Coordinates of all heavy atoms in Angstrom, one line a residue:
M1 N 195.0 140.9 137.9 CA 196.5 140.9 137.4 C 197.2 139.7 138.1 O 197.1 139.4 139.3 CB 197.1 142.2 137.8 CG 197.1 143.2 136.7 SD 197.8 142.6 135.1 CE 199.6 142.6 135.5
I2 N 198.1 139.1 137.3 CA 198.9 138.0 137.9 C 200.3 138.5 138.1 O 200.9 139.1 137.2 CB 198.9 136.9 136.8 CG1 197.5 136.4 136.5 CG2 199.8 135.7 137.3 CD1 197.4 135.4 135.4
P3 N 200.8 138.3 139.3 CA 202.2 138.7 139.5 C 203.1 137.9 138.7 O 202.8 136.7 138.4 CB 202.4 138.5 141.0 CG 201.4 137.5 141.4 CD 200.2 137.6 140.5
D4 N 204.3 138.4 138.4 CA 205.2 137.6 137.5 C 205.9 136.5 138.3 O 206.4 135.5 137.7 CB 206.1 138.4 136.7 CG 206.8 139.5 137.5 OD1 206.4 139.6 138.7 OD2 207.7 140.1 137.0
T5 N 205.9 136.6 139.6 CA 206.6 135.5 140.3 C 205.7 134.9 141.4 O 204.8 135.7 142.0 CB 207.8 136.0 141.0 OG1 207.5 137.2 141.8 CG2 208.9 136.4 140.1
C6 N 205.8 133.7 141.6 CA 205.0 133.0 142.7 C 205.4 133.6 144.0 O 206.6 133.7 144.3 CB 205.3 131.5 142.6 SG 204.6 130.6 144.0
Q7 N 204.4 133.9 144.8 CA 204.7 134.5 146.1 C 205.1 133.4 147.2 O 205.1 133.7 148.4 CB 203.4 135.2 146.6 CG 203.1 136.4 145.7 CD 204.2 137.5 145.7 OE1 204.5 138.1 146.7 NE2 204.8 137.7 144.6
S8 N 205.4 132.2 146.8 CA 206.0 131.2 147.7 C 207.4 130.8 147.2 O 208.3 131.0 148.0 CB 205.1 130.0 147.7 OG 205.7 128.9 148.3
C9 N 207.5 130.3 146.0 CA 208.8 129.8 145.6 C 209.6 130.8 144.8 O 210.8 130.6 144.6 CB 208.6 128.5 144.7 SG 207.8 128.8 143.2
G10 N 209.0 131.9 144.4 CA 209.8 133.0 143.8 C 210.1 132.7 142.3 O 210.7 133.5 141.6
M11 N 209.5 131.6 141.8 CA 209.7 131.3 140.4 C 208.7 132.0 139.5 O 207.6 132.2 140.0 CB 209.6 129.8 140.2 CG 210.6 128.9 140.9 SD 212.2 128.9 140.1 CE 211.8 127.7 138.8
P12 N 209.1 132.4 138.3 CA 208.1 133.0 137.4 C 207.0 132.0 137.1 O 207.2 130.8 137.0 CB 208.9 133.3 136.1 CG 210.3 132.9 136.4 CD 210.4 132.1 137.7
F13 N 205.8 132.5 137.0 CA 204.7 131.7 136.6 C 203.8 132.4 135.6 O 203.7 133.6 135.5 CB 204.0 131.0 137.7 CG 203.0 131.8 138.5 CD1 201.7 131.6 138.5 CD2 203.5 132.8 139.4 CE1 200.8 132.3 139.2 CE2 202.6 133.6 140.2 CZ 201.3 133.3 140.1
T14 N 203.0 131.6 134.9 CA 202.2 132.1 133.8 C 200.8 131.7 134.1 O 200.5 131.0 135.1 CB 202.6 131.4 132.5 OG1 202.4 130.0 132.6 CG2 204.1 131.7 132.2
I15 N 199.9 132.1 133.2 CA 198.5 131.7 133.3 C 198.3 130.2 133.4 O 197.5 129.7 134.2 CB 197.7 132.2 132.0 CG1 197.9 133.7 131.9 CG2 196.3 131.7 131.9 CD1 196.6 134.5 132.0
E16 N 199.1 129.4 132.7 CA 199.0 128.0 132.7 C 199.5 127.3 134.0 O 199.1 126.2 134.3 CB 199.8 127.4 131.5 CG 199.2 127.6 130.2 CD 199.5 128.9 129.6 OE1 200.6 129.5 129.9 OE2 198.6 129.5 128.9
T17 N 200.4 128.0 134.7 CA 200.9 127.4 135.9 C 200.4 128.0 137.2 O 201.0 127.9 138.3 CB 202.5 127.4 135.9 OG1 202.9 128.7 135.8 CG2 203.0 126.5 134.8
R18 N 199.2 128.7 137.1 CA 198.6 129.3 138.3 C 198.2 128.2 139.3 O 197.7 127.1 138.8 CB 197.4 130.1 138.0 CG 197.7 131.4 137.3 CD 196.5 132.1 136.9 NE 195.8 131.4 135.9 CZ 194.6 131.8 135.3 NH1 194.1 132.9 135.7 NH2 194.0 131.0 134.4
G19 N 198.3 128.4 140.6 CA 197.7 127.5 141.6 C 196.2 127.6 141.5 O 195.6 128.4 140.9
T20 N 195.6 126.6 142.2 CA 194.1 126.5 142.2 C 193.6 126.7 143.7 O 194.2 126.2 144.6 CB 193.6 125.2 141.7 OG1 194.3 124.1 142.3 CG2 193.9 125.1 140.2
N21 N 192.4 127.4 143.8 CA 191.7 127.5 145.0 C 190.8 126.3 145.3 O 190.7 125.5 144.4 CB 190.9 128.8 145.0 CG 191.8 130.0 144.9 OD1 192.8 130.1 145.6 ND2 191.4 131.0 144.0
R22 N 190.2 126.3 146.4 CA 189.4 125.1 146.8 C 188.2 125.0 145.8 O 187.8 123.9 145.5 CB 188.8 125.3 148.2 CG 189.7 124.6 149.2 CD 189.2 124.9 150.6 NE 188.1 124.1 151.0 CZ 187.6 124.0 152.2 NH1 188.2 124.7 153.1 NH2 186.6 123.3 152.5
D23 N 187.7 126.1 145.3 CA 186.6 126.0 144.4 C 187.1 125.9 142.9 O 186.3 126.0 142.0 CB 185.7 127.3 144.5 CG 186.5 128.6 144.2 OD1 187.6 128.5 143.8 OD2 185.9 129.6 144.4
Q24 N 188.3 125.5 142.8 CA 188.9 125.3 141.5 C 189.1 126.6 140.6 O 189.4 126.4 139.4 CB 188.2 124.2 140.7 CG 188.2 122.8 141.4 CD 189.6 122.4 141.8 OE1 190.5 122.3 140.9 NE2 189.8 122.0 143.0
S25 N 188.9 127.7 141.3 CA 189.2 128.9 140.6 C 190.7 129.1 140.7 O 191.4 128.4 141.4 CB 188.5 130.2 141.1 OG 188.9 130.3 142.5
F26 N 191.3 130.0 139.9 CA 192.7 130.1 139.9 C 193.2 131.1 141.0 O 192.5 132.0 141.3 CB 193.2 130.6 138.5 CG 193.1 129.5 137.5 CD1 192.2 129.6 136.5 CD2 194.0 128.4 137.5 CE1 192.1 128.6 135.6 CE2 193.9 127.4 136.6 CZ 192.9 127.5 135.6
N27 N 194.3 130.7 141.6 CA 194.9 131.6 142.6 C 195.9 132.5 141.9 O 196.8 132.0 141.1 CB 195.6 130.7 143.6 CG 196.1 131.6 144.8 OD1 197.1 132.3 144.7 ND2 195.4 131.6 145.9
K28 N 195.9 133.8 142.2 CA 196.8 134.7 141.5 C 198.1 134.9 142.2 O 199.0 135.6 141.6 CB 196.1 136.0 141.2 CG 195.7 136.8 142.5 CD 195.0 138.1 142.0 CE 194.3 138.8 143.2 NZ 195.1 138.9 144.4
D29 N 198.3 134.4 143.4 CA 199.6 134.6 144.1 C 200.6 133.5 143.9 O 201.8 133.7 144.0 CB 199.3 134.9 145.5 CG 198.6 136.2 145.8 OD1 198.9 137.1 145.0 OD2 197.8 136.3 146.7
Y30 N 200.1 132.3 143.8 CA 201.0 131.1 143.9 C 200.9 130.2 142.7 O 199.8 130.2 142.0 CB 200.6 130.3 145.1 CG 200.7 131.1 146.4 CD1 199.5 131.4 147.1 CD2 201.9 131.6 146.9 CE1 199.6 132.1 148.3 CE2 202.0 132.3 148.1 CZ 200.8 132.6 148.8 OH 200.9 133.3 149.9
C31 N 202.0 129.6 142.3 CA 202.0 128.6 141.2 C 201.4 127.3 141.6 O 201.3 127.0 142.8 CB 203.4 128.5 140.7 SG 204.5 127.5 141.6
I32 N 201.1 126.5 140.6 CA 200.5 125.2 140.9 C 201.4 124.2 141.7 O 201.0 123.3 142.4 CB 200.1 124.5 139.5 CG1 199.2 123.3 139.7 CG2 201.2 124.2 138.6 CD1 197.8 123.6 140.3
N33 N 202.7 124.4 141.6 CA 203.7 123.6 142.3 C 203.6 123.8 143.8 O 203.9 123.0 144.7 CB 205.1 123.8 141.9 CG 205.3 123.3 140.5 OD1 204.8 122.3 140.1 ND2 206.1 124.0 139.7
C34 N 203.2 125.1 144.2 CA 203.2 125.5 145.6 C 201.8 125.4 146.2 O 201.6 125.2 147.4 CB 203.7 126.9 145.7 SG 205.4 127.1 145.3
F35 N 200.8 125.6 145.4 CA 199.4 125.9 145.9 C 198.4 125.1 145.0 O 198.3 125.4 143.9 CB 199.1 127.3 145.9 CG 198.0 127.8 146.8 CD1 198.3 127.9 148.2 CD2 196.8 128.1 146.3 CE1 197.2 128.3 149.1 CE2 195.8 128.5 147.2 CZ 196.0 128.6 148.5
R36 N 197.7 124.2 145.6 CA 196.7 123.4 144.9 C 195.5 123.2 145.7 O 195.6 122.8 146.9 CB 197.4 122.0 144.5 CG 196.8 121.4 143.3 CD 197.7 120.2 142.9 NE 199.0 120.7 142.4 CZ 200.0 119.9 142.0 NH1 199.8 118.6 142.1 NH2 201.1 120.4 141.6
D37 N 194.3 123.3 145.2 CA 193.1 123.1 145.9 C 193.0 123.9 147.2 O 192.4 123.4 148.2 CB 192.9 121.6 146.1 CG 192.9 120.7 144.8 OD1 192.5 121.3 143.8 OD2 193.3 119.6 144.9
G38 N 193.5 125.1 147.1 CA 193.3 126.0 148.3 C 194.3 125.8 149.4 O 194.2 126.4 150.5
K39 N 195.3 124.9 149.2 CA 196.3 124.8 150.3 C 197.7 124.7 149.7 O 197.9 124.2 148.5 CB 196.0 123.7 151.2 CG 195.6 122.4 150.6 CD 195.2 121.5 151.7 CE 195.1 120.0 151.2 NZ 193.7 119.6 150.9
F40 N 198.7 125.0 150.5 CA 200.1 124.8 150.1 C 200.4 123.3 149.9 O 200.0 122.5 150.7 CB 201.1 125.4 151.1 CG 201.1 126.9 151.1 CD1 200.7 127.6 152.2 CD2 201.5 127.5 150.0 CE1 200.7 129.0 152.2 CE2 201.5 128.9 149.9 CZ 201.1 129.6 151.0
T41 N 201.1 122.9 148.9 CA 201.4 121.5 148.6 C 202.3 121.0 149.7 O 202.3 119.8 150.0 CB 202.0 121.3 147.2 OG1 203.1 122.2 147.1 CG2 201.0 121.6 146.1
N42 N 203.2 121.9 150.2 CA 204.1 121.5 151.3 C 204.0 122.5 152.4 O 204.6 123.5 152.4 CB 205.5 121.4 150.7 CG 206.5 120.9 151.8 OD1 206.1 120.7 153.0 ND2 207.8 120.8 151.4
H43 N 203.2 122.1 153.4 CA 202.9 122.9 154.5 C 204.2 123.2 155.4 O 204.2 124.2 156.0 CB 201.9 122.3 155.5 CG 200.6 122.4 155.0 ND1 199.9 123.5 155.3 CD2 199.8 121.6 154.3 CE1 198.6 123.4 154.8 NE2 198.6 122.2 154.2
H44 N 205.0 122.3 155.4 CA 206.2 122.3 156.3 C 207.4 123.0 155.7 O 208.4 123.1 156.4 CB 206.5 120.9 156.8 CG 205.3 120.2 157.4 ND1 204.8 120.6 158.6 CD2 204.6 119.2 156.9 CE1 203.7 119.8 158.8 NE2 203.6 118.9 157.8
L45 N 207.2 123.4 154.5 CA 208.3 124.1 153.8 C 208.8 125.3 154.6 O 208.0 126.1 155.0 CB 207.9 124.5 152.4 CG 209.0 125.0 151.5 CD1 210.0 123.9 151.1 CD2 208.4 125.6 150.3
T46 N 210.1 125.4 154.8 CA 210.6 126.6 155.4 C 211.4 127.4 154.4 O 211.8 126.8 153.3 CB 211.6 126.3 156.6 OG1 212.7 125.6 156.0 CG2 210.9 125.5 157.6
L47 N 211.7 128.6 154.7 CA 212.4 129.5 153.8 C 213.8 128.8 153.5 O 214.3 128.8 152.4 CB 212.6 130.9 154.4 CG 213.1 132.0 153.5 CD1 212.3 132.1 152.2 CD2 213.0 133.3 154.3
H48 N 214.4 128.3 154.5 CA 215.7 127.7 154.4 C 215.7 126.5 153.5 O 216.6 126.3 152.6 CB 216.2 127.3 155.8 CG 217.6 126.7 155.7 ND1 218.7 127.5 155.3 CD2 218.1 125.5 156.0 CE1 219.8 126.7 155.4 NE2 219.4 125.5 155.8
Q49 N 214.7 125.7 153.6 CA 214.5 124.5 152.8 C 214.4 124.9 151.3 O 214.9 124.2 150.4 CB 213.3 123.7 153.2 CG 213.6 122.6 154.2 CD 212.3 121.9 154.6 OE1 211.2 122.5 154.5 NE2 212.4 120.7 155.0
L50 N 213.6 125.9 151.1 CA 213.3 126.4 149.8 C 214.6 126.9 149.1 O 214.9 126.6 148.0 CB 212.3 127.5 149.8 CG 211.8 128.1 148.5 CD1 211.2 127.0 147.6 CD2 210.8 129.2 148.8
E51 N 215.4 127.6 149.9 CA 216.7 128.0 149.4 C 217.6 126.8 148.9 O 218.2 126.9 147.8 CB 217.5 128.8 150.4 CG 216.9 130.1 150.7 CD 217.6 130.9 151.9 OE1 218.6 130.4 152.4 OE2 217.1 131.9 152.3
I52 N 217.6 125.8 149.7 CA 218.3 124.6 149.4 C 217.8 123.9 148.1 O 218.5 123.6 147.2 CB 218.3 123.6 150.5 CG1 219.2 124.2 151.7 CG2 218.9 122.2 150.1 CD1 219.0 123.4 153.0
E53 N 216.5 123.9 148.0 CA 215.8 123.3 146.8 C 216.2 124.1 145.6 O 216.5 123.5 144.5 CB 214.3 123.2 147.0 CG 213.9 122.0 147.7 CD 212.4 122.0 148.0 OE1 211.6 122.6 147.2 OE2 212.0 121.4 149.0
L54 N 216.2 125.4 145.7 CA 216.5 126.2 144.5 C 217.9 126.0 144.1 O 218.2 125.9 142.9 CB 216.2 127.7 144.8 CG 214.8 128.1 144.8 CD1 214.6 129.4 145.5 CD2 214.2 128.2 143.4
L55 N 218.8 125.9 145.0 CA 220.2 125.7 144.7 C 220.4 124.3 144.1 O 221.2 124.1 143.1 CB 221.1 125.8 145.9 CG 221.2 127.3 146.4 CD1 221.9 127.4 147.8 CD2 221.9 128.2 145.4
E56 N 219.7 123.3 144.6 CA 219.8 122.0 144.0 C 219.3 121.9 142.6 O 219.9 121.3 141.7 CB 219.0 121.0 144.9 CG 219.8 120.5 146.1 CD 219.0 119.6 147.0 OE1 217.8 119.4 146.8 OE2 219.6 119.2 148.0
M57 N 218.1 122.6 142.4 CA 217.6 122.7 141.0 C 218.7 123.3 140.0 O 218.8 122.8 138.9 CB 216.4 123.6 141.0 CG 215.1 122.9 141.4 SD 213.7 124.1 141.5 CE 213.5 124.6 139.8
A58 N 219.3 124.3 140.5 CA 220.3 125.0 139.7 C 221.5 124.0 139.4 O 222.0 123.9 138.3 CB 220.8 126.3 140.3
E59 N 221.9 123.3 140.4 CA 223.0 122.4 140.3 C 222.7 121.3 139.3 O 223.6 120.8 138.6 CB 223.3 121.7 141.7 CG 224.6 122.2 142.2 CD 224.8 121.8 143.7 OE1 224.6 120.6 144.0 OE2 225.0 122.7 144.5
M60 N 221.5 120.8 139.3 CA 221.1 119.8 138.4 C 220.6 120.3 137.0 O 220.1 119.6 136.2 CB 220.0 118.9 139.0 CG 220.4 118.2 140.3 SD 219.2 117.0 140.9 CE 217.8 118.0 141.1
H61 N 220.8 121.6 136.8 CA 220.4 122.3 135.6 C 218.9 122.0 135.3 O 218.5 121.7 134.2 CB 221.2 121.9 134.4 CG 222.7 122.1 134.7 ND1 223.3 123.3 134.8 CD2 223.7 121.2 135.0 CE1 224.6 123.2 135.1 NE2 224.8 121.9 135.2
N62 N 218.1 122.1 136.4 CA 216.7 121.8 136.3 C 215.9 123.1 136.1 O 215.1 123.5 137.0 CB 216.3 121.0 137.5 CG 214.9 120.4 137.4 OD1 214.3 120.5 136.3 ND2 214.4 119.8 138.4
G63 N 216.1 123.7 135.0 CA 215.3 124.9 134.6 C 215.8 126.2 135.0 O 215.4 127.2 134.4
I64 N 216.7 126.3 136.0 CA 217.3 127.6 136.4 C 218.8 127.5 136.5 O 219.3 126.4 136.8 CB 216.7 128.2 137.7 CG1 216.8 127.2 138.9 CG2 215.3 128.6 137.5 CD1 216.5 127.7 140.2
T65 N 219.4 128.6 136.3 CA 220.9 128.7 136.5 C 221.2 129.1 138.0 O 220.3 129.5 138.7 CB 221.5 129.7 135.6 OG1 221.0 131.0 136.0 CG2 221.2 129.5 134.1
L66 N 222.4 128.9 138.3 CA 222.8 129.2 139.7 C 222.6 130.7 140.0 O 222.1 131.1 141.0 CB 224.3 128.9 139.9 CG 224.8 129.0 141.3 CD1 224.1 128.1 142.3 CD2 226.3 128.7 141.4
E67 N 222.9 131.5 139.0 CA 222.7 133.0 139.1 C 221.2 133.3 139.4 O 220.9 134.1 140.2 CB 223.1 133.7 137.9 CG 224.2 134.7 138.1 CD 224.8 135.2 136.8 OE1 224.0 135.9 136.1 OE2 226.0 135.0 136.6
E68 N 220.3 132.6 138.6 CA 218.9 132.8 138.8 C 218.4 132.4 140.1 O 217.6 133.1 140.8 CB 218.1 132.1 137.7 CG 218.2 132.8 136.3 CD 217.7 131.9 135.2 OE1 217.6 130.6 135.3 OE2 217.3 132.4 134.1
A69 N 219.0 131.2 140.6 CA 218.6 130.7 141.9 C 219.0 131.7 143.0 O 218.2 132.0 143.9 CB 219.3 129.4 142.1
Q70 N 220.2 132.3 142.8 CA 220.6 133.3 143.8 C 219.8 134.6 143.8 O 219.5 135.1 144.9 CB 222.1 133.6 143.6 CG 223.0 132.5 144.1 CD 224.4 132.6 143.6 OE1 224.7 133.2 142.6 NE2 225.3 131.8 144.2
Q71 N 219.4 135.0 142.6 CA 218.5 136.1 142.5 C 217.2 135.9 143.2 O 216.7 136.7 143.9 CB 218.3 136.5 141.0 CG 219.3 137.4 140.4 CD 219.1 137.6 138.9 OE1 218.1 137.2 138.4 NE2 220.1 138.1 138.3
I72 N 216.6 134.7 142.9 CA 215.4 134.3 143.5 C 215.5 134.3 145.1 O 214.7 134.8 145.8 CB 214.8 133.0 143.0 CG1 214.5 133.1 141.5 CG2 213.7 132.5 143.8 CD1 214.2 131.8 140.8
I73 N 216.6 133.7 145.5 CA 216.8 133.6 147.0 C 216.8 135.0 147.7 O 216.3 135.2 148.7 CB 218.1 132.8 147.3 CG1 217.8 131.3 147.0 CG2 218.5 132.9 148.7 CD1 219.0 130.4 146.9
R74 N 217.4 135.9 147.0 CA 217.5 137.3 147.5 C 216.1 137.9 147.7 O 215.9 138.7 148.5 CB 218.4 138.2 146.7 CG 219.8 138.1 147.1 CD 220.6 139.3 146.5 NE 220.7 139.2 145.0 CZ 221.6 138.6 144.3 NH1 222.6 137.9 145.0 NH2 221.6 138.6 143.0
K75 N 215.2 137.5 146.7 CA 213.9 138.1 146.7 C 212.9 137.4 147.7 O 211.9 137.9 148.0 CB 213.3 138.0 145.3 CG 213.8 139.0 144.3 CD 212.9 138.9 143.0 CE 212.8 137.5 142.5 NZ 212.4 137.5 141.1
L76 N 213.2 136.2 148.1 CA 212.3 135.3 148.8 C 211.7 136.0 150.1 O 210.5 136.0 150.3 CB 212.9 134.0 149.2 CG 213.1 133.0 148.1 CD1 213.8 131.8 148.7 CD2 211.8 132.6 147.4
P77 N 212.5 136.7 150.9 CA 212.0 137.3 152.1 C 210.9 138.4 151.8 O 210.2 138.7 152.7 CB 213.2 137.9 152.8 CG 214.4 137.2 152.2 CD 214.0 136.9 150.8
E78 N 210.8 138.9 150.6 CA 209.8 139.9 150.3 C 208.5 139.3 149.8 O 207.5 140.0 149.7 CB 210.3 140.8 149.1 CG 211.6 141.6 149.5 CD 212.2 142.1 148.2 OE1 211.6 142.2 147.1 OE2 213.4 142.4 148.2
L79 N 208.5 138.0 149.6 CA 207.3 137.4 149.1 C 206.2 137.2 150.2 O 206.6 137.1 151.4 CB 207.6 136.0 148.5 CG 208.6 136.1 147.3 CD1 208.9 134.7 146.8 CD2 208.1 137.0 146.2
K80 N 205.0 137.2 149.7 CA 203.9 137.1 150.7 C 204.0 136.0 151.7 O 203.7 136.2 152.9 CB 202.6 136.9 149.8 CG 201.4 137.7 150.3 CD 200.2 137.3 149.4 CE 199.4 138.6 149.1 NZ 198.2 138.3 148.4
R81 N 204.4 134.8 151.2 CA 204.4 133.6 152.1 C 205.5 133.7 153.2 O 205.3 133.2 154.3 CB 204.6 132.4 151.3 CG 204.5 131.1 152.1 CD 204.6 129.8 151.3 NE 204.5 128.7 152.2 CZ 204.6 127.4 151.8 NH1 204.9 127.2 150.6 NH2 204.5 126.5 152.7
W82 N 206.5 134.5 152.9 CA 207.7 134.5 153.8 C 207.9 135.7 154.6 O 208.7 135.8 155.5 CB 209.0 134.1 153.0 CG 208.8 132.9 152.2 CD1 208.8 132.9 150.9 CD2 208.6 131.6 152.7 NE1 208.6 131.6 150.5 CE2 208.5 130.8 151.6 CE3 208.6 131.0 154.0 CZ2 208.3 129.4 151.7 CZ3 208.4 129.6 154.1 CH2 208.3 128.8 152.9
R83 N 207.1 136.8 154.2 CA 207.3 138.1 154.9 C 207.1 138.0 156.4 O 207.8 138.6 157.2 CB 206.3 139.1 154.4 CG 206.9 140.1 153.4 CD 205.8 141.0 153.0 NE 205.6 140.9 151.5 CZ 204.5 141.2 150.9 NH1 203.5 141.6 151.6 NH2 204.4 141.2 149.6
M84 N 206.2 137.1 156.8 CA 205.9 137.0 158.3 C 207.1 136.5 159.1 O 207.2 136.9 160.2 CB 204.8 135.9 158.4 CG 203.5 136.2 157.7 SD 202.6 137.5 158.6 CE 201.9 136.5 159.9
E85 N 208.0 135.7 158.4 CA 209.1 135.2 159.2 C 210.1 136.3 159.6 O 210.9 136.0 160.5 CB 209.8 134.2 158.3 CG 209.0 132.9 158.1 CD 209.9 131.7 157.8 OE1 211.1 131.9 157.5 OE2 209.3 130.6 157.7
N86 N 210.0 137.4 159.0 CA 210.9 138.5 159.4 C 210.5 139.4 160.5 O 211.2 140.2 160.9 CB 211.2 139.3 158.1 CG 212.0 138.5 157.1 OD1 212.8 137.7 157.5 ND2 211.7 138.8 155.9
I87 N 209.2 139.2 160.9 CA 208.7 140.1 161.9 C 209.2 139.7 163.3 O 209.3 138.5 163.6 CB 207.1 140.1 161.9 CG1 206.6 140.6 160.5 CG2 206.5 140.9 163.0 CD1 205.2 140.4 160.3
Ligands
ZN101 ZN1 205.5 128.5 143.5

């Protein structure tokens, strides 16, 4: 089963935008923008940076609205990649 949102950026993803593992199989947790060839595309990304990026995308009308960005931001701490930061 594929989750409907990427467990890193919180954006919805589909079969076509799944990330890839090192053996080129598909990763079911992360989208291709976040996870490629078995590793995160941006290792140094922090939750805070991601929030800023989402808001910038919304400001530039780049695929999401401000409301959607805010909804995603609220969900981010529950995602697999970021849960650790709350411990
Ligand atoms: Zn992603």
Side-chain angles (χ1 to χ4, degrees):
M1 264 309 282
I2 304 172
D4 46 350
T5 54
C6 169
Q7 296 296 298
S8 167
C9 65
M11 298 281 283
F13 75 111
T14 63
I15 300 245
E16 285 80 34
T17 57
R18 285 177 296 181
T20 51
N21 297 316
R22 267 173 79 171
D23 60 4
Q24 298 307 307
S25 62
F26 289 106
N27 187 284
K28 60 179 170 49
D29 290 328
Y30 303 110
C31 76
I32 190 72
N33 292 322
C34 294
F35 199 78
R36 203 168 295 175
D37 301 330
K39 48 186 191 258
F40 286 116
T41 53
N42 182 356
H43 279 279
H44 306 291
L45 186 69
T46 65
L47 192 50
H48 182 64
Q49 271 177 332
L50 184 57
E51 288 176 7
I52 291 168
E53 274 176 30
L54 284 164
L55 290 172
E56 278 175 358
M57 276 172 68
E59 247 167 54
M60 297 187 306
H61 306 288
N62 190 5
I64 54 171
T65 65
L66 187 59
E67 239 170 65
E68 284 168 340
Q70 284 165 343
Q71 272 174 14
I72 292 170
I73 286 168
R74 272 196 295 272
K75 283 190 308 198
L76 288 178
E78 297 163 21
L79 300 179
K80 220 181 220 186
R81 186 174 181 187
W82 308 113
R83 255 182 242 154
M84 301 284 282
E85 289 203 353
N86 293 326
I87 297 173

